[in-house]
Amino acid sequence: MPAYSIAILAIYLGFGLLELWRSNLFTKDEQTRDDGIVEAVSTAMLLVVTQPMIVFASAGIMWAVAPEWAGALQGLNVLLAILLFLVLDDMMQYWWHRASHSFAWLYNLHRAHHNARYMSVRLVYRNNLFYYAMMPGLWFSGVLVYLGLGWVYAGYLIVKMTVIIGAHCDVAWDRRLYSIKWLSPVMWLVERTISTPATHHAHHGRHADDPAVHYKGNYGNLLFFWDVLFGTAKITRTYPQSYGVENLAPASLGQQLMWPLFPEQKAEDENGQTVGEAV
């Protein structure tokens, strides 16, 4: 196992142990039998199949199209290399995530991530099995690795996954820092730069009338700056009262993992009329 994978696993386990100690990692409020299955299957699929497949496939495509470009950026300045990943991976993921909340068919690929009625490190890789295979940022990252930036990607991933795992953890690391008054200016900068529990939990909130909820925004993964830049940011320094989705029919195990092979159910109101999706 590569050193960066070991580092990410250690970070994941560290936050997991924190949840185990503080908030019952395996027995979340309102969780169902399907939740554990979706999380286990989607996480294993991404790490064992999808991500390695994309790295090899993108390299294969590039080798077929431009074999002379292999390793072409190997000597690139490290700051420029990081900038390339921030734009072609993280910003592209912002737009992919935003699109997933704008188009119903894409939301069906992403709904599994929001279906859980809790926050946890368990949600980090929770998605439809086809969602990551279609994510542009992963393919662009594969191309950058082919071009010789694999050494930068390793460090970039460690930082990115630390932020993302921390943002999903239900033991919010920023809560204590917000309570320290003299740190307020520092946190003002932090919360506008990277995703924090407060800003990302808002994106997972269940009810639109909850002042702390903003599920039509706060799409950033590593950088929350993209939300600030593109006008989708909401910062409250508070946390939603509950998590999940509202105004949608329950999603089956098959729908969460393998839509469109398993079509979604339609919610009906008290008059028997179909309720539109609020994605």
Side-chain angles (χ1 to χ4, degrees):
M1 181 182 292
Y4 73 89
S5 296
I6 296 174
I8 293 171
L9 178 60
I11 293 164
Y12 188 90
L13 291 176
F15 277 103
L17 288 172
L18 182 61
E19 280 194 28
L20 185 64
W21 172 41
R22 297 286 298 276
S23 63
N24 301 318
L25 175 64
F26 300 111
T27 55
K28 300 298 185 183
D29 292 341
E30 298 190 71
Q31 78 174 57
T32 68
R33 180 188 67 89
D34 287 353
D35 286 324
I37 297 174
V38 172
E39 288 155 6
V41 172
S42 58
T43 297
M45 183 70 176
L46 172 66
L47 299 180
V48 177
V49 178
T50 307
Q51 196 164 30
M53 178 273 293
I54 290 175
V55 172
F56 285 112
S58 55
I61 293 171
M62 287 298 295
W63 182 259
V65 174
E68 70 277 10
W69 290 2
L73 298 181
Q74 195 165 8
L76 187 67
N77 177 277
V78 65
L79 294 180
L80 291 177
I82 292 171
L83 181 61
L84 283 176
F85 280 108
L86 288 175
V87 172
L88 295 180
D89 173 71
D90 198 56
M91 189 184 76
M92 289 302 299
Q93 190 173 357
Y94 164 88
W95 284 107
W96 174 249
H97 190 187
R98 183 170 175 173
S100 298
H101 284 266
S102 302
F103 302 98
W105 70 274
L106 269 179
Y107 186 73
N108 281 323
L109 293 177
H110 183 52
R111 177 176 171 179
H113 188 67
H114 287 273
N115 212 58
R117 295 193 167 188
Y118 50 84
M119 293 302 295
S120 173
V121 297
R122 292 163 45 180
L123 305 187
V124 171
Y125 300 113
R126 174 176 172 153
N127 262 304
N128 182 289
L129 299 185
F130 305 121
Y131 181 78
Y132 289 112
M134 298 171 60
M135 185 179 290
L138 289 178
W139 290 90
F140 283 127
S141 292
V143 171
L144 291 176
V145 170
Y146 172 83
L147 294 174
L149 298 183
W151 59 283
V152 177
Y153 190 48
Y156 166 81
L157 269 185
I158 292 172
V159 174
K160 179 171 182 174
M161 293 314 304
T162 299
V163 171
I164 292 175
I165 294 167
H168 284 87
C169 184
D170 70 354
V171 182
W173 60 261
D174 56 351
R175 190 189 299 268
R176 180 68 63 86
L177 299 180
Y178 284 140
S179 68
I180 303 174
K181 290 185 177 181
W182 66 268
L183 278 179
S184 186
V186 176
M187 292 305 294
W188 185 95
L189 179 62
V190 169
E191 66 193 357
R192 285 164 176 77
T193 304
I194 64 171
S195 292
T196 64
T199 56
H200 196 68
H201 284 211
H203 177 68
H204 281 260
R206 188 186 311 181
H207 301 300
D209 60 359
D210 182 341
V213 169
H214 189 47
Y215 53 64
K216 295 290 281 186
N218 292 18
Y219 301 116
N221 289 272
L222 168 55
L223 295 186
F224 188 74
F225 171 74
W226 304 126
D227 286 282
V228 176
L229 180 63
F230 298 119
T232 53
K234 180 179 180 179
I235 301 173
T236 66
R237 298 192 174 187
T238 58
Y239 309 85
Q241 298 176 13
S242 61
Y243 301 94
V245 295
E246 63 178 349
N247 301 328
L248 294 179
S252 67
L253 178 62
Q255 178 194 343
Q256 291 186 71
L257 285 173
M258 299 187 70
W259 184 91
L261 301 184
F262 294 85
E264 71 274 18
Q265 302 176 54
K266 298 297 183 182
E268 294 183 348
D269 62 20
E270 59 186 9
N271 299 315
Q273 299 296 314
T274 299
V275 176
E277 289 191 351
V279 301

